Amino acid sequence: MQLGLIGLPQSGKTTVFNALTGANLPLNMSTGRVEVHTAVVKVPDPRVDALAERFGSRKRTYATVTYADVAGLSGKASGELPGALRNILQQMDAFVHVVRAFPNPNVPHPLGHVAPQRDVELLEQELLLHDLMTVERRLERLKEERQKGARPKEVIAREEALFQRLHQALSQDIPLRAIELSADEARLLRGFGLLTRKPMLLLLNLDDEGEPPEIVLPHPQRTKVAWLRGRLEMELAQMDPEDAAYFREEFGLTETGQARLIRLSYELLDRITFYTVGEKEARAWSLPRGSTALDAAAAIHTDMAKGFIRAEVIPFDELMRLGDWATARSQGKIRLEGKDYVIQDGDVLLIRFAG
Ligand SMILES: Nc1nc2c(ncn2[C@@H]2O[C@H](COP(=O)(O)OP(=O)(O)O)[C@@H](O)[C@H]2O)c(=O)[nH]1
Ligand SMILES: [Mg+2]
């Protein structure tokens, strides 16, 4: 799962990238070219830790997300994103929009002064315009297809109705992430790389002190707002842990900003997490919401899916309350589920399969 850090030049994207990933990319490197740097990050998960401690697991494996530091958005909202940038943005599963909220006289804002609400709207305009053009092109194509009779009439009509709905929304500055779509419609749109369809985390990048500004969202669906003291967190991420802990206390930062944000961005992806646990390993697995026991088995190993017999399932909280698998089983708390069982977030699974 890939999260793209986007934002105006000098908003602190690379700083935030370094803070989140522990990387050490150079700052102030806006070359005007399209550039991407990626890093894979573990999603901190107290459930993995609790399971590992309870079961004495030797290894802990967390879910991961990939962050991509994407340079190149101008904030000019001209509508024509450079092709290379468009390709990169279309591949992302969600965006983290780094919004500059730090005053720094040494770092000029590309638009003259710091105004977070304006920057949020400006970048959204850029994404909206991109999608509007994509949708218009598609509507043109569908019209041609209708005239040629290339595909069955009903199929084209259904697609046209959907794209018209999208067009109407986009023309009113409504991002597509705020629109209700059926599963079929969502599937149909998947290949079009519509940027406002992707979930969005607005990350206010604050200075070492000061409160986060208020952001007004006319369409808050599938959007989260958070803040980070970007430069401070980057410096802490690059210190040795003891010194970092001392400074954290000084600045009143309890949980690491890094951990908090990684969790939040994982939640944005609307995935569910299930777990497997044994003496060897306690492990988190990430799946799209709505996945079945068979999908879970396939995620672990193809042989498990092929020879699937059943899944033994217990919710994390219940397992922790009862203490261990044997107790849970003797009390009849382990459910036996078939292939089609829809996995719930927090389920602990044991897959029985014929190997
Ligand atoms: N004072 C302050 N400066 C910051 C903060 N975050 C970034 N900067 C500075 O802003 C400049 C641009 O940061 P950079 O991460 O390269 O921005 P990018 O162009 O969005 O990747 C650098 O000089 C950073 O040190 C912050 O939270 N506070
Ligand atoms: Mg940068």
Side-chain angles (χ1 to χ4, degrees):
M1 300 306 301
Q2 192 150 207
L3 291 134
L5 296 173
I6 58 175
L8 298 182
Q10 311 277 47
S11 56
K13 294 179 293 299
T14 304
T15 303
V16 168
F17 178 83
N18 285 345
L20 293 179
T21 68
N24 200 0
L25 293 181
L27 306 179
N28 296 316
M29 285 293 284
S30 305
T31 53
R33 278 198 315 266
V34 177
E35 275 179 76
V36 200
H37 297 274
T38 60
V40 178
V41 168
K42 289 179 189 158
V43 180
D45 189 340
R47 286 167 174 170
V48 171
D49 299 328
L51 286 170
E53 268 149 45
R54 181 60 61 84
F55 285 77
S57 317
R58 291 188 292 278
K59 191 176 162 201
R60 301 175 188 199
T61 306
Y62 301 86
T64 60
V65 292
T66 301
Y67 286 101
D69 179 13
V70 184
L73 277 175
S74 65
K76 291 198 192 86
S78 62
E80 280 293 5
L81 295 177
L85 181 59
R86 207 167 60 215
N87 280 341
I88 293 162
L89 296 179
Q90 287 176 343
Q91 285 165 29
M92 300 295 152
D93 297 297
F95 293 125
V96 178
H97 175 186
V98 177
V99 183
R100 175 160 172 179
F102 62 87
N104 184 340
N106 302 322
V107 181
H109 190 292
L111 297 160
H113 64 283
V114 177
Q117 177 78 31
R118 175 204 58 197
D119 293 354
V120 168
E121 288 168 13
L122 206 70
L123 197 125
E124 182 87 321
Q125 280 302 325
E126 203 155 356
L127 302 181
L128 283 164
L129 253 161
H130 166 272
D131 284 359
L132 189 62
M133 290 166 72
T134 305
V135 166
E136 279 175 358
R137 270 199 301 274
R138 188 63 192 168
L139 282 168
E140 277 299 311
R141 265 297 285 284
L142 288 166
K143 201 166 121 196
E144 285 166 25
E145 281 193 21
R146 181 152 43 81
Q147 285 155 358
K148 282 193 219 137
R151 286 190 293 162
K153 262 207 193 88
E154 321 78 70
V155 176
I156 296 180
R158 221 178 308 136
E159 213 177 297
E160 267 186 321
L162 171 60
F163 275 88
Q164 242 128 29
R165 236 178 92 205
L166 303 185
H167 190 271
Q168 201 177 13
L170 293 164
S171 327
Q172 295 167 46
D173 290 345
I174 300 172
L176 302 180
R177 69 182 90 83
I179 304 241
E180 290 286 343
L181 293 177
S182 71
D184 280 343
E185 290 171 329
R187 201 168 313 121
L188 181 71
L189 290 187
R190 216 178 278 158
F192 288 94
L194 294 163
L195 302 179
T196 66
R197 181 74 196 145
K198 300 176 194 288
M200 174 70 85
L201 174 64
L202 299 173
L203 181 55
L204 303 162
N205 184 15
L206 302 188
D207 215 341
D208 301 1
E209 288 164 24
E211 296 294 307
E214 193 80 45
I215 296 293
V216 182
L217 293 175
H219 307 287
Q221 294 90 332
R222 296 167 75 220
T223 305
K224 291 179 193 271
V225 183
W227 56 267
L228 186 79
R229 302 196 185 283
R231 190 176 61 178
L232 182 62
E233 289 287 354
M234 181 187 91
E235 283 166 1
L236 292 173
Q238 292 169 349
M239 269 180 204
D240 77 51
E242 247 171 61
D243 291 347
Y246 169 80
F247 280 108
R248 247 173 227 301
E249 242 188 277
E250 285 289 288
F251 282 99
L253 301 167
T254 43
E255 193 191 2
T256 74
Q258 194 197 25
R260 180 170 55 89
L261 266 176
I262 295 168
R263 265 247 45 97
L264 201 62
S265 42
Y266 177 72
E267 286 165 20
L268 192 68
L269 298 166
D270 196 30
R271 314 263 300 176
I272 55 121
T273 315
F274 77 90
Y275 301 86
T276 53
V277 63
E279 277 182 15
K280 205 175 123 214
E281 185 182 35
R283 178 158 184 169
W285 302 83
S286 174
L287 287 176
R289 196 175 290 284
S291 297
T292 63
L294 192 63
D295 298 326
I300 301 172
H301 201 288
T302 46
D303 288 348
M304 272 196 185
K306 259 188 243 152
F308 185 94
I309 299 170
R310 61 168 191 267
E312 300 185 1
V313 183
I314 181 167
F316 167 83
D317 288 335
E318 190 138 278
L319 180 58
M320 293 309 285
R321 186 170 59 77
L322 294 168
D324 60 63
W325 208 266
T327 310
R329 178 173 290 128
S330 71
Q331 296 194 14
K333 298 293 187 191
I334 306 274
R335 298 193 319 265
L336 303 182
E337 302 282 2
K339 282 180 183 172
D340 298 329
Y341 167 71
V342 175
I343 306 284
Q344 303 299 302
D345 185 66
D347 279 350
V348 184
L349 257 61
L350 183 66
I351 308 276
R352 297 288 178 192
F353 68 109

